[in-house]
Amino acid sequence: MNNPNVVLIIVDTLRARNLSCYGYHRQTSPVLDNHAKDGTRFKNAFAEVIPTQPSFTSILTGTNPILNNVVSHVLWKNAEMAAREQSSNILLNETLRDKMPRITPQVKMAGELFQAGGYKTYAVDNLVKMRPHFGRGWDEYVYSSEASGEDRRFAVTADDINFHTFPLLSRIRNERFFLFLHYWEPHAPYEPPPEFQQFVKEVKDRQAMRQDLLIKGRDLSRDDFIYITKVDRDTVSRSSQSDLAHLNKLGLDHNTIVVITADHGESFGSHNTLGHAGLHETTVHVPLWFRGPGIPAGKVVDGFARHVDIVPTILDFAGVKPDIPYELSGRSLRPEINGKTDGGIDAVYCAECGQQKTRSVRTRTWKFITSIQEEIRADHMPVQELYNLEKDPDEENNLISEYPGVAKELEEKMFRWVEAECRKYGRAKDVMVTTPLPDDLKALEDPSRFAFSLPAK
Ligand SMILES: [Zn+2]
């Protein structure tokens, strides 16, 4: 199949382990499971950088933050607060937004790469108000979270997305298109639609839930709480209307590749964290599968896959060779999808510059997490962590004191990788070191400190 359409669906905050197809003990995701079953699924796929803005930047550029410069929601919190003080209902004042560390100017977005390859490009998303680069490269960008003239940001529902997407699909069905859809349902405040309230216990008093979680330090979702994506809800309740079924109805399924992933997972209290913080499996292990023409059904790949691999893979399937002055950080997963290899990647490197500054390296057996700047490690977290994932997949036993040799080896491996990436992209210092945390008010004063541009060749 030459030049298939490509639909990239990213569900915010959907962690892999809560989907039945990734082994969750309850039936949470019948539609997604079925969809995954007809395609090739990556068992071990990871978000290399969290939370949302850096993660989407990484997915949509196929590059890591050492090149693209976006490693954080930097200044978001402050900018938002300041904007609220200055005026009533502006979420992010333009001037403050302009002071946020920018994406490296030369780095191209997926839409731009597909456009250059002759595709028409469409997005139904709302990230553009957080960072302007998310608006680049679209023939049509539908801002998804405006209802009755009001910006609802996280409260955008799958109904909102589908409301825009279904007519759009009907209109573009005869074009060769790349379509990006961003669903938000699993994101806080965890309010499922009425027909799924039965799945939720103990969340009537959210403040009490928070306290409870932090005291017990346990993962609430394991037994008490299920969150479900509305992609599924819709399909359960009105199966013919789900966007996945909609593709079939329009006769697009035979020439369209659909990719499904999440930007990150969620911590529901494990490791004393809530939200998208910490580099534990709950937060960085994400679902990922590809379905469409030329992609084997029912195949599961065990090797490591990363967010940065998605764009190289879909460009490869689309037959688009990017004309860019830098090397993409990821590689096409096509050999794994169509062949017998597991990719041969021996480690995945993740970073968080949200609630704390941490980097990690994960091999098949071990995960090592370290604070980049000890003094800003969250006070309830150890400075370094080491887990044996084969014996302890929930990362409950920190073995840092028991295996100092293993920890040292992994730490060196991690920093060797960081140095190599910095060298590759001509950056003097790790972006994790040069970027402030979102609480750094001083950062507003001199944004030029965080600029990065590729050196001329
Ligand atoms: Zn997110």
Side-chain angles (χ1 to χ4, degrees):
M1 176 77 211
N2 287 326
N3 311 119
N5 303 314
V6 178
V7 179
L8 171 61
I9 297 178
I10 306 180
V11 186
D12 216 284
T13 324
L14 179 64
R15 70 189 204 184
R17 63 169 58 193
N18 282 67
L19 297 175
S20 318
C21 58
Y22 279 83
Y24 195 59
H25 66 279
R26 294 179 202 252
Q27 250 252 349
T28 48
S29 47
V31 178
L32 291 175
D33 299 343
N34 263 332
H35 193 263
K37 208 167 62 198
D38 289 339
T40 295
R41 182 169 67 83
F42 286 79
K43 229 166 98 178
N44 293 297
F46 292 93
E48 291 172 286
V49 55
I50 59 163
T52 308
Q53 294 166 31
S55 180
F56 273 89
T57 303
S58 180
I59 297 172
L60 290 171
T61 60
T63 67
N64 67 42
I66 294 177
L67 169 62
N68 70 42
N69 200 42
V70 179
V71 76
S72 161
H73 286 186
V74 172
L75 311 186
W76 164 253
K77 274 195 208 161
N78 294 307
E80 190 179 13
M81 276 189 299
R84 279 203 180 121
E85 275 166 26
Q86 282 172 14
S87 62
S88 55
N89 59 355
I90 304 169
L91 279 174
L92 190 56
N93 163 307
E94 296 290 320
T95 320
L96 291 169
R97 189 183 67 181
D98 288 347
K99 290 193 170 187
M100 293 165 81
R102 294 294 191 97
I103 190 168
T104 305
Q106 295 96 327
V107 170
K108 294 269 186 259
M109 302 299 292
E112 295 172 302
L113 300 173
F114 273 95
Q115 277 178 334
Y119 275 70
K120 297 288 271 181
T121 61
Y122 303 89
V124 182
D125 172 46
N126 58 2
L127 292 173
V128 72
K129 287 211 179 170
M130 301 178 197
R131 284 183 179 268
H133 65 258
F134 289 116
R136 276 171 27 196
W138 308 111
D139 285 302
E140 217 174 299
Y141 181 93
V142 180
Y143 185 71
S144 59
S145 65
E146 229 150 53
S148 328
E150 198 185 320
D151 189 338
R152 294 186 292 145
R153 215 167 101 216
F154 300 143
V156 60
T157 66
D159 282 336
D160 298 329
I161 307 290
N162 293 346
F163 173 80
H164 296 296
T165 305
F166 294 168
L168 176 68
L169 273 172
S170 302
R171 187 153 52 81
I172 65 175
R173 60 194 287 186
N174 295 319
E175 296 176 1
R176 193 166 52 139
F177 64 83
F178 168 57
L179 169 64
F180 159 50
L181 303 174
H182 178 189
Y183 289 88
W184 278 95
E185 227 82 19
H187 197 280
Y190 318 134
E191 276 164 1
E195 62 267 43
F196 289 99
Q197 283 294 345
Q198 55 176 311
F199 292 111
V200 183
K201 298 174 192 167
E202 293 184 13
V203 290
K204 286 197 182 98
D205 181 344
R206 281 165 211 286
Q207 196 51 36
M209 177 186 90
R210 248 187 114 81
Q211 291 298 333
D212 190 48
L213 281 168
L214 292 174
I215 290 163
K216 291 178 183 162
R218 69 195 169 94
D219 191 317
L220 185 66
S221 76
R222 215 182 281 158
D223 300 311
D224 310 325
F225 183 76
I226 291 174
Y227 65 92
I228 193 157
T229 76
K230 205 154 170 191
V231 179
D232 259 312
R233 168 184 93 96
D234 277 353
T235 319
V236 172
S237 56
R238 299 189 293 275
S239 61
S240 65
Q241 285 188 35
S242 90
D243 60 340
L244 299 173
H246 203 78
L247 284 175
N248 302 2
K249 208 170 89 186
L250 291 173
L252 286 167
D253 52 324
H254 72 282
N255 64 349
T256 302
I257 287 176
V258 179
V259 188
I260 297 189
T261 191
D263 61 337
H264 50 73
E266 185 83 326
S267 180
F268 291 114
S270 57
H271 301 92
N272 298 307
T273 54
L274 285 173
H276 348 303
L279 297 174
H280 305 102
E281 298 290 279
T282 47
T283 312
V284 296
H285 183 207
V286 291
L288 174 66
W289 62 83
F290 297 78
R291 176 180 142 164
I295 295 174
K299 183 167 174 175
V300 179
V301 178
D302 193 47
F304 287 142
R306 307 158 302 180
H307 272 162
V308 289
D309 299 325
I310 294 172
V311 156
T313 307
I314 54 182
L315 289 173
D316 190 2
F317 276 111
V320 174
K321 290 201 183 0
D323 180 18
I324 42 178
Y326 53 88
E327 195 184 320
L328 289 173
S329 310
R331 89 292 188 201
S332 172
L333 297 169
R334 215 170 167 180
E336 283 102 302
I337 292 170
N338 292 131
K340 283 200 165 65
T341 170
D342 74 352
I345 300 273
D346 73 334
V348 175
Y349 303 88
C350 300
E352 180 204 346
C353 184
Q355 297 182 22
Q356 53 196 1
K357 279 196 184 194
T358 47
R359 274 199 176 279
S360 71
V361 52
R362 185 208 198 277
T363 63
R364 301 300 296 195
T365 308
W366 296 100
K367 165 135 12 128
F368 170 76
I369 305 174
T370 186
S371 177
I372 296 295
Q373 282 166 250
E374 280 188 29
E375 67 278 13
I376 51 171
R377 180 75 158 158
D379 53 10
H380 56 274
M381 304 288 284
V383 171
Q384 295 197 321
E385 296 163 72
L386 178 71
Y387 301 103
N388 185 321
L389 295 166
E390 279 167 9
K391 294 182 183 153
D392 177 26
D394 292 331
E395 299 161 293
E396 288 175 332
N397 304 309
N398 184 0
L399 300 173
I400 197 77
S401 322
E402 282 90 331
Y403 295 90
V406 174
K408 179 122 191 58
E409 212 172 281
L410 289 167
E411 183 170 27
E412 284 170 7
K413 183 180 175 69
M414 193 188 82
F415 282 114
R416 273 201 306 275
W417 178 84
V418 172
E419 274 165 31
E421 292 298 299
C422 285
R423 249 197 325 275
K424 181 160 91 187
Y425 294 128
R427 187 185 271 277
K429 263 191 180 159
D430 182 8
V431 62
M432 284 288 290
V433 174
T434 57
T435 302
L437 282 172
D439 287 334
D440 185 358
L441 270 173
K442 276 203 166 322
L444 281 170
E445 288 160 15
D446 179 16
S448 65
R449 282 199 287 147
F450 320 115
F452 174 71
S453 189
L454 270 174
K457 286 250 155 104

